[in-house]
Amino acid sequence: MRLRHIALLACTAFMLAGCNDTLETVERDVSHVKNKVDYPLSASILAEMDKKNMDRNAPIMIRIFKEEGKLEIWKAKRDNRFDVIASYDICAWSGKLGPKVKEGDRQAPEGFYNLTPGHLNPNSNYYLAINTGFPNRYDQANGRSGTNLMIHGACSSSGCYSMTDAQVLEIYGFARDAFKGGQKTVQLQALPFRMSAENMARHRKSEHSEFWKMLKVGYDNFEVTKRPPEVNVCEKKYVFNQQAEGGQFNAGAACPKMSTPPALASALQSYAKTYDVAYAKATNKLDGMVWYDPSEAERKALVAAKRKGREPAYAPTGSALKAGKLMKETEFAALMEKKAAKGISGQAATAMASASNPGATTAATVGTQQPAAARVAPTVMVVAAPVAPNQQQTAAAQSIPVPALNPLAFSAPPQPDDAQKKPFWKFWAKQ
């Protein structure tokens, strides 16, 4: 009996260790994997899916938070809402916060991207790779350029989101299984940070703040519904979950007349009230302060200092959240002048101008970058820890009608005439 008891304890410990290995960041040897393309997801991940009421081949969504260096895999549950199934520390990403603008700027993309089976690269020189889809329609309409921007292994980045080989093996497996289940496109949300009121207030003086406000509308739509938003581009701007009335979306042309599904509009407006209060409180707390966004070199230096000269198997670039800091406006302006004197211009000059104009961005301006027809509500409060949303958010999400089949993630059954498919917004109508 004693031996049996010890064996059970050992088995339990092994299972727990396996769960930690798959659901958290790991640096493990995968040299033994012969068929990496078809390498199955672990038993512990499959058990976690079952626990969360998910099918193995159900759709996924990928979410990146650049500042804290996190990549999350969200997966559809049987009620068609999405939940986190895995979270990884990004091993390396280059550049600073902000979108990729041109080839060679070392920036990792930010935005909403659609990934298809064709974006999977089983023959990558960096173990395995998934193309981010940059440039998308928004990027192209705004003249942004760049090629081969990937999520890949090897922990080395020049504009990519690089993982360890063990991590990308799992991420690739999640995408592979979802595509096998019939998912046509996987949405990638590459975001600068979790777009809470506190974080938006902390970055309110950034030169990228207007771009981020636009992304936040899509972010909020997902936080409210827990389903990937339908993304379109018009007037060179993103629009989310919008019904075009009597026109079509064209990235470079004027937006058609648009409307938001009533149930969704009501949910967004409810969250907007909470967000406005939280944003006003955060900006008041940060009055006279500016967030300093660290350079890639500063992030690397912080990692090197913590490792104290030890040669790691991988070379992570570190978290911008940990390497950055809040500074008084006068101190920030002096630092930017010092950098400008050393030949750092452009971004520094913009940041310095923002620092000298406190209060330029307020709660009243949040969400104003959407075309007028799309602005049905201000941006809304979000969950800082998406794995465990609070009761208010859960109740609000559940109050929104959900179709039997999620039109944004599952591939629809073949139909003789695509024009007869039920439009997205019809699924939101109250029965």
Side-chain angles (χ1 to χ4, degrees):
M1 288 294 293
R2 185 177 180 182
L3 289 175
R4 183 179 179 183
H5 181 66
I6 294 174
L8 286 172
L9 288 175
C11 180
T12 301
F14 176 79
M15 290 177 66
L16 289 174
C19 182
N20 288 334
D21 280 349
T22 54
L23 301 183
E24 297 179 3
T25 300
V26 291
E27 291 185 12
R28 69 175 186 270
D29 182 20
V30 292
S31 60
H32 66 284
V33 176
K34 295 182 179 179
N35 184 1
K36 57 187 178 182
V37 173
D38 295 317
Y39 192 73
L41 294 172
S42 69
S44 58
I45 287 181
L46 298 180
E48 187 70 12
M49 287 183 190
D50 186 62
K51 180 180 177 181
K52 292 193 172 187
N53 200 30
M54 300 169 176
D55 293 322
R56 177 173 182 168
N57 292 338
I60 67 166
M61 186 191 80
I62 301 174
R63 222 175 186 198
I64 288 173
F65 298 106
K66 186 187 287 186
E67 184 175 50
E68 64 183 86
K70 290 289 185 181
L71 183 150
E72 297 174 345
I73 302 294
W74 288 68
K75 196 169 182 67
K77 299 186 294 184
R78 295 187 183 101
D79 66 358
N80 292 328
R81 307 289 184 194
F82 281 62
D83 197 0
V84 174
I85 187 62
S87 178
Y88 307 92
D89 288 332
I90 297 172
C91 197
W93 58 274
S94 57
K96 299 178 65 176
L97 296 188
K100 183 170 187 63
V101 176
K102 61 182 179 181
E103 185 82 57
D105 62 8
R106 290 185 57 80
Q107 285 292 103
E110 293 177 9
F112 289 76
Y113 298 88
N114 290 325
L115 315 180
T116 68
H119 287 87
L120 302 185
N121 181 6
N123 301 311
S124 172
N125 291 328
Y126 299 90
Y127 196 70
L128 289 169
I130 303 175
N131 194 306
T132 62
F134 181 94
N136 61 15
R137 287 175 295 163
Y138 171 86
D139 300 318
Q140 293 170 355
N142 285 277
R144 297 178 175 177
S145 62
T147 54
N148 299 321
L149 281 304
M150 306 279 181
I151 298 169
H152 61 65
C155 192
S156 175
S157 173
S158 286
C160 298
Y161 292 106
S162 186
M163 318 300 295
T164 67
D165 292 350
Q167 290 172 333
V168 80
L169 181 66
E170 285 186 0
I171 295 166
Y172 193 98
F174 277 115
R176 175 202 62 222
D177 288 357
F179 286 133
K180 283 184 178 180
Q183 187 174 10
K184 289 185 176 180
T185 60
V186 169
Q187 187 172 102
L188 165 63
Q189 298 181 4
L191 302 166
F193 41 79
R194 299 184 192 275
M195 303 182 109
S196 64
E198 293 76 12
N199 284 342
M200 293 297 289
R202 181 163 55 88
H203 288 284
R204 69 194 184 284
K205 295 179 184 293
S206 169
E207 62 182 304
H208 306 298
S209 62
E210 299 304 323
F211 173 68
W212 291 340
K213 290 174 195 174
M214 179 176 57
L215 296 187
K216 188 180 186 303
V217 178
Y219 177 92
D220 294 340
N221 271 261
F222 177 74
E223 286 297 316
V224 168
T225 67
K226 286 300 184 285
R227 295 166 57 199
E230 185 176 85
V231 182
N232 282 293
V233 182
C234 56
E235 296 180 11
K236 299 183 179 181
K237 300 174 183 178
Y238 285 112
V239 294
F240 303 93
N241 288 341
Q242 292 296 297
Q243 172 188 353
E245 301 174 353
Q248 294 183 335
F249 291 104
N250 185 305
C255 292
K257 183 179 180 181
M258 299 179 291
S259 64
T260 305
L264 177 57
S266 177
L268 288 171
Q269 288 168 352
S270 176
Y271 278 92
K273 294 179 181 179
T274 306
Y275 174 84
D276 287 344
V277 172
Y279 185 85
K281 182 179 180 180
T283 52
N284 182 62
K285 181 180 178 180
L286 296 173
D287 185 38
M289 304 296 289
V290 179
W291 177 258
Y292 174 71
D293 182 29
S295 66
E296 181 180 351
E298 288 168 327
R299 289 189 285 115
K300 288 181 177 179
L302 184 63
V303 174
K306 289 185 176 181
R307 290 183 178 267
K308 296 180 180 179
R310 290 184 289 113
E311 288 295 331
Y314 295 94
T317 57
S319 164
L321 188 59
K322 293 179 180 179
K325 58 183 177 181
L326 279 172
M327 305 176 67
K328 292 182 178 179
E329 290 176 351
T330 53
E331 295 174 345
F332 182 80
L335 177 61
M336 292 299 102
E337 288 177 359
K338 184 177 180 180
K339 287 180 175 291
K342 292 182 179 180
I344 303 175
S345 58
Q347 292 185 353
T350 304
M352 190 162 49
S354 297
S356 64
N357 184 20
T361 303
T362 65
T365 64
V366 176
T368 58
Q369 295 310 297
Q370 283 290 80
R375 291 200 304 271
V376 298
T379 51
V380 301
M381 186 174 180
V382 299
V383 188
V387 178
N390 61 38
Q391 293 180 352
Q392 179 185 5
Q393 288 175 313
T394 300
Q398 291 176 349
S399 69
I400 301 174
V402 179
L405 189 65
N406 183 352
L408 301 182
F410 293 85
S411 56
Q415 297 186 22
D417 184 2
D418 285 349
Q420 296 180 1
K421 291 182 181 179
K422 199 170 185 180
F424 155 75
W425 59 89
K426 294 297 184 184
F427 288 97
W428 292 95
K430 292 183 179 180
Q431 302 299 320

